Amino acid sequence: MQTSKKVAIIFTGGTISMKVDPRIHAAIPALSSEEILGMVTNVENFANIEIINFGNYPSPHITPNMMMDLSKLVKKTISRDDITGVVVTHGTDTLEETAYLLDLTVKSEKPVVVVGAMRNSSELGYDGSSNLSAAICTAISDSSKNKGVLVVMNNEVNAASEVTKTNTLSLDTFKSPEFGPLGIVDNDEILYYRDIISREHINTDNIETKVLLLKSAPGVNSDIINYCIDSEYKGIVIEAMGRGNLPPEMIDGIVRSISKNIPVVLVSRCPTGRVLDTYGYEGGGNHLRKLGVIFGGNLPGQKARIKLMLLLAKTNDMNKIREQFEKDEYKKLN
Ligand code: ASP
């Protein structure tokens, strides 16, 4: 079968490119992109593949600056007339952050699909080849256009803006806990059940890396926040409790941070649901709102941090940053 569709696969590493090193009995990056692709049988019947090697990194080694380099590479590749879609292979540990950054920075109607594997190639039931073939089918499907960056694992298609890694081990670890998947991969066909809830674009090639992600817990105080202010951090994301509430001991640090024009973005440490100014006690959401804390909706902390890093690369204007995070509520508040 002849095909005119061309998919560029950008290989970055992760378990999909790993095998067990017998000397240490542990998985390490080892497979070449040709070896990975060689396991995807009959791929030539579906698409012409162009291999682009970005690197062979475990995903905890991927930095925000590397994500930005990848974003520029994806932009350049997807803009080519001969390319139908782009697939990015990636370690699953930080896959959601890279996918979300690509979703925010790459503006194209063509599909960009991020994929990984949960089992390395030395394990029984390596899922790299089936995930990669599903990602390629997603990238060549007309119905995948204009959906933002997609994450394909275990025959499910999720929006990068909604998906998160939910389990340390299982093959169906990538879930959109708030809204469910966009669709499924049924053999080589992509069936979409719904559209994405919202799409956002941040027009930048830069990223501000000095942004802290801090999780609240009983008795946590302002020590780390003060350390960040003194170390010239540019932004702080706090995973608050429940609806968006913090221990009162964190208030001093937050007030000091905002007074120095260092934005504090609040999200919840709960896996689903948005933060809101429901509670009026000291440290409650209502108090935090009055202090100038920015409400990050239902983003998980790791994604709110990516968004803040991109926004801070464009502006230090706290109101503009607030507007980007609180879009739906902003008009109501001002
Ligand atoms: N630790 C691996 C990584 O993120 C996990 C994986 O790829 O599934 O690189």
Side-chain angles (χ1 to χ4, degrees):
M1 202 202 299
Q2 285 290 325
T3 173
S4 57
K5 298 195 171 178
K6 185 167 187 180
V7 173
I9 308 184
I10 303 177
F11 289 86
T12 78
T15 294
I16 195 167
S17 64
M18 293 192 197
K19 65 181 174 192
V20 171
D21 181 336
R23 290 166 303 177
I24 55 169
H25 305 289
I28 54 163
L31 301 180
S32 68
S33 30
E34 286 80 9
E35 284 174 303
I36 301 168
L37 200 56
M39 289 187 264
V40 185
T41 45
N42 297 323
V43 65
E44 63 283 356
N45 293 338
F46 294 90
N48 299 310
I49 305 293
E50 176 174 324
I51 292 175
I52 302 178
N53 288 310
F54 181 82
N56 207 348
Y57 304 100
S59 76
H61 293 197
I62 303 261
T63 64
N65 282 322
M66 289 158 77
M67 292 178 192
M68 273 333 271
D69 289 343
L70 186 61
S71 164
K72 286 176 211 162
L73 180 58
V74 171
K75 279 183 197 171
K76 198 173 106 193
T77 311
I78 202 84
S79 68
R80 280 169 39 193
D81 288 341
D82 62 327
I83 293 292
T84 309
V86 169
V87 170
V88 177
T89 70
H90 201 285
T92 61
D93 290 350
T94 64
L95 187 150
E96 67 191 88
E97 277 127 304
T98 295
Y100 185 50
L101 181 139
L102 294 177
D103 188 54
L104 290 173
T105 54
V106 178
K107 201 174 184 182
S108 171
E109 63 156 27
K110 294 183 196 170
V112 175
V113 183
V114 187
V115 65
M118 289 301 288
R119 293 186 188 149
N120 69 69
S121 62
S122 305
E123 283 179 286
L124 198 60
Y126 171 64
D127 55 331
S129 35
S130 56
N131 285 342
L132 190 51
S133 63
I136 293 166
C137 289
T138 309
I140 58 173
S141 165
D142 278 344
S143 52
S144 299
K145 284 184 180 166
N146 275 318
K147 295 217 172 334
V149 172
L150 302 167
V151 172
V152 170
M153 294 276 295
N154 200 43
N155 284 335
E156 268 189 17
V157 185
N158 284 281
S161 54
E162 300 169 1
V163 77
T164 192
K165 187 175 182 180
T166 62
N167 187 285
T168 57
L169 174 73
S170 62
L171 302 189
D172 69 343
T173 178
F174 281 91
K175 297 282 174 203
S176 300
E178 203 91 46
F179 311 113
L182 295 183
I184 58 159
V185 184
D186 182 340
N187 292 321
D188 55 355
E189 210 184 334
I190 316 302
L191 306 177
Y192 285 99
Y193 297 135
R194 67 169 178 90
D195 215 341
I196 38 172
I197 305 290
S198 64
R199 279 194 73 182
E200 245 186 295
H201 180 65
I202 302 176
N203 187 15
T204 181
D205 277 335
N206 300 313
I207 190 154
E208 171 55 63
T209 56
K210 291 204 87 171
V211 177
L212 174 80
L213 172 59
L214 175 63
K215 188 169 195 149
S216 64
V220 166
N221 61 24
S222 294
D223 287 355
I224 295 176
I225 300 175
N226 282 324
Y227 169 81
C228 286
I229 298 166
D230 297 340
S231 307
E232 300 187 341
Y233 272 66
K234 301 292 185 286
I236 298 172
V237 176
I238 303 179
E239 285 186 10
M241 297 157 175
R243 190 67 154 150
N245 311 305
L246 292 174
E249 293 83 0
M250 294 180 86
I251 298 299
D252 278 356
I254 288 171
V255 170
R256 193 169 158 237
S257 178
I258 293 169
S259 75
K260 292 188 179 298
N261 200 38
I262 301 169
V264 176
V265 174
L266 198 76
V267 293
S268 179
R269 62 181 197 168
C270 294
T272 54
R274 65 172 179 157
V275 287
L276 205 66
D277 48 5
T278 308
Y279 292 95
Y281 54 78
E282 191 185 10
N286 191 272
H287 180 209
L288 298 173
R289 174 92 84 189
K290 285 178 182 141
L291 296 178
V293 169
I294 295 169
F295 281 51
N298 57 7
L299 285 174
Q302 62 273 24
K303 281 190 179 162
R305 177 171 174 265
I306 293 289
K307 183 169 172 178
L308 183 57
M309 287 171 133
L310 292 171
L311 291 172
L312 280 168
K314 282 176 71 90
T315 180
N316 291 316
D317 183 331
M318 192 121 39
N319 284 325
K320 287 196 177 138
I321 293 172
R322 182 187 316 283
E323 199 177 340
Q324 289 298 313
F325 275 100
E326 298 181 355
K327 265 190 205 106
D328 297 339
E329 310 173 47
Y330 196 74
K331 290 191 191 80
K332 194 169 66 196
L333 291 167
N334 289 276

